[in-house]
Amino acid sequence: MDNDKFFEELENLIKDLDGKKLPDTLKLTIFYTTGEKDVFNVTIAFWAKMMIATKNRKQYLYCKHNLINLNHVVKMQYEEID
């Protein structure tokens, strides 16, 4: 699957999941240029939105009452919650 097709599928997934209540199945750790990190439990829909935001070079993303400046993110690590 090429990149364009992959991101098309993600955009379709986001549209399909819009407005649905999903369980938090992923643990996300965000590492910043300052050396700080944040840990959130997120849905698969958030993962898809984050992928699209980084592809489109968005500057900000909102998660769990936190505004994330994507310009300061060094690494995002996802783990499945048991």
Side-chain angles (χ1 to χ4, degrees):
M1 177 183 295
D2 65 0
N3 285 340
D4 292 334
K5 182 69 175 164
F6 174 73
F7 285 108
E8 240 178 72
E9 292 291 327
L10 284 179
E11 288 173 352
N12 290 334
L13 176 65
I14 292 168
K15 288 176 188 173
D16 290 344
L17 297 176
D18 190 36
K20 294 182 181 175
K21 179 71 175 155
L22 300 171
D24 292 335
T25 57
L26 299 172
K27 176 182 170 186
L28 167 63
T29 306
I30 301 174
F31 299 88
Y32 298 99
T33 57
T34 60
E36 297 177 4
K37 67 179 182 177
D38 282 326
V39 178
F40 303 102
N41 290 336
V42 297
T43 65
I44 193 73
F46 180 82
W47 170 81
K49 289 177 185 176
M50 179 66 86
M51 295 292 287
I52 296 296
T54 54
K55 175 196 174 268
N56 294 335
R57 299 182 184 264
K58 299 289 183 183
Q59 188 169 3
Y60 296 101
L61 195 62
Y62 190 72
C63 177
K64 307 280 182 171
H65 306 290
N66 292 284
L67 186 63
I68 301 166
N69 185 337
L70 296 176
N71 292 329
H72 296 283
V73 173
V74 175
K75 176 178 148 181
M76 295 177 282
Q77 179 177 340
Y78 290 90
E79 301 173 46
E80 286 191 49
I81 298 173
D82 294 331

